[in-house]
Amino acid sequence: MSSKKRPARIEPFRHRVETDPKFFDKSWKKLHDAIREIYNHNASGLSFEELYRTAYNMVLYKHGPKLYENLIETMTGHLQEMRRSIEAAQGGLFLEELQRKWDDHNKALQMIRDVLMYMDRTYIPTHKKTAVFDLGLELWRDNIVRSSNIRVRLLNTLLDLIHSERMGEVINRSLMRSTTKMLMDLGSSVYQDDFERPFLKVSASFYSGESQQFIESCACGEYLKKAQKRLDEEAERVAQYLDAKTDEKITAVVVKEALTNHMQRLFLMEDSGLVNMLVEDKYEDLTMMYNLFQRVPDGHSTIKSVMTSHVKESGRSLVTDPERLKDPVDFVQRLLNEKDKYDNIISISFGNDKSFQNALTSSFEYFINLNNRSPEFISLYVDDKLRKGMKDANEEDVETVLDKVMMLFRYLQEKDLFEKYYKQHLAKRLLSGRAASDDSERSMLVKLKTECGYQFTSKLEGMFTDLKTSQDTTQGFYGASSSDAGDAPLISVQILTTGSWPTQPCSTCNLPPEILSVSEKFRAYYLGTHNGRRLTWQTNMGTADIKVTFGNGSKHELNVSTYQMCVLMLFNSADCLTYNEIEQATAIPPVDLKRCLQSLALVKGKNVLRKEPMSRDISPNDNFYVNDKFTSKLFKVKIGTVAVQKESEPEKMETRHRVEEDRKPQIEAAIVRIMKARRVLDHNSIVTEVTKQLQPRFLPNPVVIKKRIESLIEREFLERDKTDRKMYRYLA
Amino acid sequence: MRRSSKKSSSSAPAGQTKAVSKEVERIDQLFYTYADSSSGMVDPEGIETLCSHLEVPHTDVRILMLAWKMGCEKQGYITLDEWRSGLKTLRADSISKLKKAFPEMVQEVTRPSNFQDFYPFAFRYCLTEDKKKCIEIPVACELLNLVLSLQFRPQVDKLMDYLKYQNDYKVINMDQWMGFLRFCNEIIFPSLDNYDPDQAWPLILDNFVEWLRANKN
């Protein structure tokens, strides 16, 4: 017997599956009842483990879809019930009820989610269904928040509360917060669509109305305060109970309605607008305005342009006012004050904003150059500060003032004109011994050198050197000729290098013999050590100290000019002299002689001479006598060396003429330089380049530039290009 | 110009050479009828005579054109060479032929290419001394009238008015002179629409245009 043996097979042990037709219904009932209990706050009696297992099995046995559907149905049912309860709430309790139900729903949802966790993780993702929790939120959204009644009522309630708060009432902020949080939890689009958008719209019309009201009734500063207050309030509102992203949006709304829409009207408000604030230095209001209008499009640029035109206008009226032009020092002081004022405003209220600084600079540049005497006046101001006998002789003060003056100097277009005047004034200061402090003078020079370069100040420095050298030379002279000093008058000589000092036409003058002899001795001494030089006495610039004994016995020492000395010495040999005689004897030019005689005879307290007749004018046959009745409390009497004054009209024309003449070669040099480099160039480009090159010194007139070009063509430095007559060509 | 080259040219037929040399002789002869014996040149007096024979006033522009044709260097004087070259190109060896040649000469000179040369020549011709580079305003006005009024009557009238009126300039230099021609050629008159003072026009013309515009009313 051979029977085939079958190999043993091991088969999986199969449980006997209970195909219980009632399996689903039984399981579902368990869950359905549990959910109901959960919603009824009765969850404590439930077994989480059992419910979880039930749901687990349902999903395992492929009942996922049905479970899901039923879940939706059940929850919807509960939500409908909640809705009715919320709708029934009266007045202020509406939000509270809503909140309460929301909390309940959230708690329930969490538990349900936990129970159905297995479905959440398996069935839902594979079938691309919404997760349980999110489903719950969606259902809440659709059944509660967006149900027709509640939707409208919710929005209106929120907006009404906000409106009340804006009008000053106190509202329940935490309730607001939880409500808006609920909306955010439902999705930012829900928050935006159902609340934020309408909120912004309503706010816009609220602020539009309020601003209109305010602007009719408030001054600018007051209005700005209110606007700031509202902005602060809205920011706080957002922080307290709105979503952070709303901050930017509501701020934009307030800014637009309260500020942007009324910008022009605010700025130009009479008696309180921007111009008024500037004029009266209202720093607080200006700071507020600057800060508020930062957010307004073109806000700052509009402030800047209003400020600029105001500064230009007030500057212009300042420099063109004929009253102001009478006192140059006061004129410049006012300019400095104006600059200080605006510097303060910019630093205190505008946060030192650079673009405002620049706007101020260009305004000053504009109006300072409207008056072509500005260079002269600024030099006179500096002269005033650097002279002896100044009230605020404190060196630090002077330094500060000079720095400020330098700022004004930078604004000048005609710096070369300033240079001419500064030289003149400096010369007078140095020669009359009127410079208060050598240090201050040098400090000013350094500042000018830093600004304009070495060329500007080299001649000025030469003036200082000359004086120092002259001191040494005079000492040397007396050291060498100590023997025959005798009773010759003592001289102190200042030797000025021509070219460093402003040119003065030297006129005739017959020196008294005593003076003549000692000055010739000096000349001989000097030329002995400096061969090949030429010395010319500048009789219109010297001073003399004379001891006088008057007929009434009073003795005085008079400090006079050289001319005055020549006149007075004549009276050592004559009691009475006519004008003609004096003119003949001294050979001083009539204009100067008349002025000199006037200062000796017609100035009260200084009338060392007597004139007959006593009239102001001097005619050729007027008689002059020594005034024997002269008295003065002081032993040393100074007779009028006049301080520099602003020039008379003819002098001014003369100086300007000289400056224009000096400019011609500078312009030509610039043209030649440019053409040498560029070879061929058109007219406009030449003008632009020349202007650029000469900008540190002066602003050349295009007509003058053209004239110089034509002169250069005539002298064959340049020619017109033969093919293109718009161009010029450099001729080597 | 070398006469000898013409004569020794082997390609010239004998007959023509003879005719040419005859012409040259007549030209020379004509020259000597006007020339001053001591200087060997036609002088101002001689020119006046020439003009009366030509029946043209000596201030007429055609005499100036003739001077240009001849290449005269000095105003009021004609050298033999200058005479020869001028008459030769005009193909004239007698007064009547010369007179007949005038209309064509005028046409020729007014052609733009020749006029560009004639115009500065007129200026140089008026410079009285060697070193001088400018002519006085009254002379300039007259010259403008002579040279440009045929073509540009309205501009010349206004320009003459202005030159007499202004006192920035007492003389006119070559650059300004050339500027006048350029002005007449390029600028629409009397509207002056296309005048741009930022271009490289001489300053005197900028001022002229400004004056014109100011006086339009």
Side-chain angles (χ1 to χ4, degrees):
Chain A
M1 250 159 1
S2 50
S3 50
K4 261 197 176 161
K5 237 190 169 167
R6 274 223 167 104
R9 280 181 86 184
I10 300 178
E11 295 190 355
F13 180 69
R14 288 212 165 94
H15 284 275
R16 258 192 309 145
V17 175
E18 303 227 9
T19 39
D20 183 352
K22 291 237 169 65
F23 169 71
F24 178 82
D25 289 332
K26 275 200 239 166
S27 305
W28 172 246
K29 182 147 190 325
K30 269 200 202 128
L31 290 176
H32 171 87
D33 289 346
I35 290 175
R36 193 189 55 228
E37 293 311 308
I38 289 172
Y39 272 105
N40 287 343
H41 309 107
N42 258 345
S44 49
L46 301 170
S47 158
F48 174 75
E49 197 268 323
E50 196 196 332
L51 293 169
Y52 182 87
R53 200 169 5 105
T54 312
Y56 176 89
N57 283 329
M58 287 172 84
V59 176
L60 201 60
Y61 294 134
K62 313 257 189 268
H63 293 304
K66 259 172 89 183
L67 173 58
Y68 194 78
E69 291 304 314
N70 286 11
L71 173 67
I72 293 178
E73 207 186 305
T74 307
M75 281 213 291
T76 307
H78 287 291
L79 287 171
Q80 292 294 336
E81 216 181 290
M82 284 177 152
R83 178 173 62 81
R84 281 188 285 275
S85 156
I86 294 169
E87 279 174 359
Q90 296 285 351
L93 299 172
F94 171 71
L95 277 188
E96 283 179 32
E97 186 63 10
L98 179 62
Q99 198 53 47
R100 203 174 303 131
K101 292 297 182 221
W102 168 248
D103 283 341
D104 290 349
H105 179 66
N106 265 296
K107 288 202 187 77
L109 202 48
Q110 277 188 37
M111 286 188 228
I112 295 169
R113 195 250 334 256
D114 291 343
V115 162
L116 299 179
M117 184 81 72
Y118 186 72
M119 181 177 75
D120 232 2
R121 288 193 181 146
T122 53
Y123 167 71
I124 278 171
T126 44
H127 289 78
K128 302 215 187 339
K129 297 278 184 195
T130 318
V132 172
F133 196 85
D134 295 332
L135 175 67
L137 294 181
E138 270 177 29
L139 290 175
W140 172 271
R141 177 194 69 196
D142 296 337
N143 284 290
I144 308 285
V145 169
R146 286 195 170 165
S147 76
S148 45
N149 274 335
I150 294 185
R151 185 175 200 168
V152 171
R153 194 170 165 192
L154 174 59
L155 179 62
N156 286 343
T157 309
L158 291 175
L159 292 179
D160 283 345
L161 284 170
I162 291 176
H163 181 85
S164 311
E165 197 181 46
R166 282 178 177 159
M167 298 309 281
E169 289 179 32
V170 178
I171 62 171
N172 183 339
R173 282 183 157 184
S174 64
L175 193 50
M176 296 290 290
R177 187 175 345 157
S178 30
T179 311
T180 56
K181 187 160 183 317
M182 170 190 80
L183 292 173
M184 280 303 288
D185 288 344
L186 293 175
S188 60
S189 58
V190 177
Y191 174 80
Q192 279 170 19
D193 293 341
D194 290 17
F195 168 71
E196 198 188 51
R197 202 170 304 126
F199 162 70
L200 292 173
K201 192 148 164 263
V202 160
S203 305
S205 79
F206 172 78
Y207 281 116
S208 164
E210 189 184 68
S211 315
Q212 191 57 44
Q213 202 188 346
F214 283 167
I215 205 146
E216 307 276 340
S217 59
C218 297
C220 184
E222 220 188 306
Y223 181 94
L224 291 180
K225 278 204 187 74
K226 289 195 201 287
Q228 185 64 59
K229 188 156 157 281
R230 280 304 193 195
L231 277 170
D232 293 339
E233 276 174 23
E234 290 301 327
E236 213 224 336
R237 175 164 298 120
V238 171
Q240 288 293 319
Y241 58 78
L242 299 180
D243 180 62
K245 290 206 190 70
T246 308
D247 187 34
E248 209 177 72
K249 299 178 197 175
I250 184 67
T251 305
V253 164
V254 180
V255 164
K256 177 165 179 292
E257 295 301 328
L259 299 174
T260 314
N261 288 353
H262 296 288
M263 180 163 76
Q264 288 298 331
R265 193 166 167 182
L266 280 170
F267 285 173
L268 302 175
M269 223 182 237
E270 252 187 74
D271 297 335
S272 65
L274 179 53
V275 171
N276 169 271
M277 290 180 192
L278 290 172
V279 168
E280 300 195 6
D281 294 324
K282 289 188 177 162
Y283 295 126
E284 240 184 75
D285 285 353
L286 286 167
T287 313
M288 220 177 2
M289 183 176 269
Y290 181 79
N291 289 335
L292 283 173
F293 280 86
Q294 200 144 27
R295 300 180 253 216
V296 175
D298 292 330
H300 277 181
S301 54
T302 313
I303 297 181
K304 226 184 305 180
S305 84
V306 171
M307 183 185 89
T308 304
S309 42
H310 173 73
V311 172
K312 276 188 184 166
E313 192 41 49
S314 57
R316 196 183 61 79
S317 55
L318 178 67
V319 305
T320 50
D321 181 356
E323 276 302 307
R324 298 275 77 84
L325 299 179
K326 289 187 183 156
D327 182 352
V329 176
D330 176 66
F331 175 90
V332 175
Q333 189 59 55
R334 278 169 195 270
L335 290 179
L336 290 173
N337 294 346
E338 190 81 346
K339 180 83 175 45
D340 272 343
K341 175 194 169 76
Y342 283 98
D343 281 346
N344 281 341
I345 289 179
I346 292 179
S347 88
I348 295 175
S349 295
F350 296 163
N352 268 325
D353 188 325
K354 203 114 212 254
S355 65
F356 278 82
Q357 278 290 1
N358 292 345
L360 187 67
T361 302
S362 70
S363 311
F364 266 78
E365 273 170 4
Y366 163 77
F367 72 73
I368 248 188
N369 290 303
L370 287 179
N371 183 346
N372 64 0
R373 299 196 81 165
S374 294
E376 185 196 348
F377 285 4
I378 294 181
S379 177
L380 283 171
Y381 182 83
V382 176
D383 179 82
D384 186 65
K385 292 290 166 216
L386 293 175
R387 278 175 169 268
K388 262 194 191 134
M390 273 306 305
K391 289 166 231 149
D392 45 281
N394 176 342
E395 197 151 314
E396 239 182 66
D397 280 347
V398 176
E399 266 303 295
T400 322
V401 168
L402 291 181
D403 280 331
K404 291 197 174 159
V405 172
M406 282 311 288
M407 281 207 281
L408 289 185
F409 172 78
R410 268 178 220 121
Y411 299 144
L412 287 176
Q413 258 170 15
E414 301 195 286
K415 294 188 171 75
D416 59 345
L417 191 56
F418 173 87
E419 188 192 351
K420 233 190 192 42
Y421 281 115
Y422 193 75
K423 203 158 138 178
Q424 277 176 20
H425 300 157
L426 176 63
K428 285 213 178 103
R429 278 203 299 282
L430 291 177
L431 292 178
S432 59
R434 282 245 174 290
S437 146
D438 207 40
D439 287 338
S440 301
E441 292 281 355
R442 289 200 178 273
S443 157
M444 187 64 191
L445 270 196
V446 167
K447 292 186 212 294
L448 286 171
K449 186 147 87 172
T450 316
E451 234 354 83
C452 303
Y454 164 73
Q455 286 156 311
F456 199 91
T457 50
S458 60
K459 296 222 179 91
L460 303 174
E461 283 175 2
M463 289 156 83
F464 283 92
T465 318
D466 277 350
L467 292 187
K468 186 84 196 2
T469 317
S470 304
Q471 267 185 334
D472 296 339
T473 311
T474 311
Q475 272 185 346
F477 170 67
Y478 277 111
S481 59
S482 50
S483 46
D484 42 359
D487 47 23
L490 281 174
I491 54 167
S492 157
V493 184
Q494 288 144 329
I495 301 160
L496 316 178
T497 312
T498 321
S500 292
W501 296 76
T503 41
Q504 298 266 12
C506 187
S507 30
T508 51
C509 177
N510 291 339
L511 294 170
E514 308 91 318
I515 305 296
L516 197 56
S517 85
V518 74
S519 28
E520 287 313 305
K521 277 212 188 91
F522 181 87
R523 185 204 294 279
Y525 167 78
Y526 184 80
L527 293 177
T529 43
H530 297 91
N531 221 340
R533 291 193 185 175
R534 201 173 57 174
L535 286 182
T536 317
W537 294 110
Q538 303 282 45
T539 47
N540 53 346
M541 287 161 84
T543 56
D545 292 322
I546 313 184
K547 289 201 172 74
V548 181
T549 310
F550 289 91
N552 62 0
S554 51
K555 290 194 180 156
H556 292 279
E557 188 176 295
L558 304 178
N559 175 266
V560 295
S561 71
T562 306
Y563 286 161
Q564 289 163 338
M565 169 197 67
C566 296
V567 170
L568 289 176
M569 295 296 279
L570 292 177
F571 288 93
N572 272 343
S573 32
D575 284 332
C576 170
L577 290 164
T578 63
Y579 170 80
N580 271 342
E581 288 169 335
I582 298 180
E583 191 184 330
Q584 272 213 342
T586 58
I588 294 173
V591 174
D592 298 316
L593 182 56
K594 286 196 180 148
R595 241 200 346 235
C596 162
L597 285 169
Q598 278 171 343
S599 63
L600 287 170
L602 299 170
V603 178
K604 203 158 159 220
K606 310 268 172 98
N607 48 340
V608 294
L609 290 182
R610 195 167 40 93
K611 172 166 116 60
E612 268 169 23
M614 288 273 281
S615 54
R616 269 224 74 140
D617 300 322
I618 300 191
S619 11
N621 289 319
D622 285 356
N623 288 325
F624 288 88
Y625 308 84
V626 176
N627 180 10
D628 286 317
K629 297 211 191 76
F630 176 78
T631 52
S632 170
K633 292 193 205 121
L634 306 163
F635 174 66
K636 285 194 182 171
V637 182
K638 194 167 134 25
I639 312 275
T641 307
V642 190
V644 296
Q645 291 165 333
K646 63 179 165 70
E647 290 185 318
S648 60
E649 270 308 304
E651 285 174 329
K652 192 171 75 135
M653 301 301 292
E654 174 65 33
T655 308
R656 175 152 285 282
H657 177 74
R658 270 193 251 142
V659 168
E660 296 290 344
E661 285 303 305
D662 284 344
R663 285 177 182 174
K664 285 184 185 168
Q666 291 179 64
I667 295 177
E668 287 191 358
I671 295 172
V672 171
R673 254 198 312 271
I674 290 163
M675 289 306 293
K676 196 165 177 187
R678 308 281 282 265
R679 296 279 142 183
V680 183
L681 204 54
D682 68 283
H683 184 81
N684 272 348
S685 303
I686 294 186
V687 173
T688 315
E689 284 298 315
V690 167
T691 308
K692 211 161 60 169
Q693 277 203 16
L694 295 172
Q695 190 262 333
R697 291 200 45 89
F698 61 92
L699 186 67
N701 183 335
V703 170
V704 175
I705 295 179
K706 203 174 209 183
K707 268 207 166 124
R708 293 295 100 218
I709 293 177
E710 286 185 11
S711 169
L712 288 168
I713 290 177
E714 215 172 314
R715 287 178 281 152
E716 296 179 15
F717 284 89
L718 302 178
E719 63 176 1
R720 290 184 200 278
D721 187 275
K722 291 185 183 47
T723 38
D724 184 353
R725 307 229 61 162
K726 290 193 286 288
M727 312 281 272
Y728 300 101
R729 191 177 274 280
Y730 178 71
L731 288 172
Chain B
M1 186 175 66
R2 296 182 348 245
R3 279 173 35 215
S4 50
S5 61
K6 278 267 181 204
K7 267 204 171 145
S8 55
S9 159
S10 51
S11 54
Q16 192 166 12
T17 316
K18 217 172 174 189
V20 164
S21 63
K22 261 261 181 267
E23 187 187 287
V24 166
E25 226 179 273
R26 278 199 292 275
I27 288 177
D28 283 2
Q29 263 182 357
L30 199 55
F31 176 76
Y32 286 113
T33 56
Y34 297 104
D36 173 64
S37 39
S38 48
S39 62
M41 289 192 292
V42 179
D43 64 5
E45 249 186 62
I47 291 188
E48 240 179 282
T49 322
L50 172 64
C51 290
S52 67
H53 288 179
L54 287 170
E55 289 170 341
V56 169
H58 81 274
T59 48
D60 192 287
V61 67
R62 287 170 286 181
I63 301 300
L64 192 54
M65 290 181 177
L66 184 59
W68 173 72
K69 262 302 212 198
M70 295 190 216
C72 292
E73 292 209 355
K74 194 161 171 197
Q75 189 185 45
Y77 293 88
I78 311 175
T79 66
L80 178 59
D81 276 338
E82 288 165 356
W83 178 270
R84 277 176 182 163
S85 77
L87 268 68
K88 216 161 197 291
T89 21
L90 287 170
R91 308 195 144 276
D93 55 9
S94 69
I95 286 299
S96 53
K97 280 203 194 143
L98 190 52
K99 218 165 127 177
K100 286 209 182 84
F102 271 8
E104 201 191 302
M105 176 184 73
V106 172
Q107 280 232 346
E108 187 196 337
V109 171
T110 10
R111 273 211 301 277
S113 48
N114 290 328
F115 198 78
Q116 277 296 126
D117 195 57
F118 169 68
Y119 180 78
F121 167 82
F123 183 85
R124 284 194 298 272
Y125 195 65
C126 285
L127 296 173
T128 49
E129 289 138 55
D130 264 342
K131 293 268 171 75
K132 250 181 82 167
K133 291 200 183 151
C134 306
I135 58 179
E136 272 106 42
I137 292 280
V139 178
C141 284
E142 274 315 301
L143 196 60
L144 271 176
N145 195 20
L146 203 57
V147 155
L148 286 183
S149 53
L150 267 175
Q151 293 178 59
F152 303 109
R153 173 92 267 156
Q155 287 95 318
V156 168
D157 280 343
K158 284 286 181 191
L159 197 45
M160 281 171 65
D161 282 343
Y162 176 69
L163 288 174
K164 290 182 193 138
Y165 159 81
Q166 59 83 42
N167 45 22
D168 294 319
Y169 295 94
K170 302 265 184 313
V171 293
I172 297 289
N173 64 26
M174 175 62 95
D175 184 53
Q176 288 160 320
W177 177 254
M178 293 309 289
F180 295 150
L181 178 63
R182 217 182 116 212
F183 179 86
C184 291
N185 274 330
E186 290 177 27
I187 300 298
I188 307 171
F189 201 86
S191 73
L192 307 170
D193 281 342
N194 62 339
Y195 186 86
D196 180 4
D198 289 333
Q199 298 288 331
W201 292 101
L203 193 57
I204 195 173
L205 281 170
D206 288 343
N207 297 344
F208 171 56
V209 168
E210 213 180 290
W211 176 81
L212 279 175
R213 284 183 176 150
N215 290 346
K216 237 182 208 168
N217 349 314

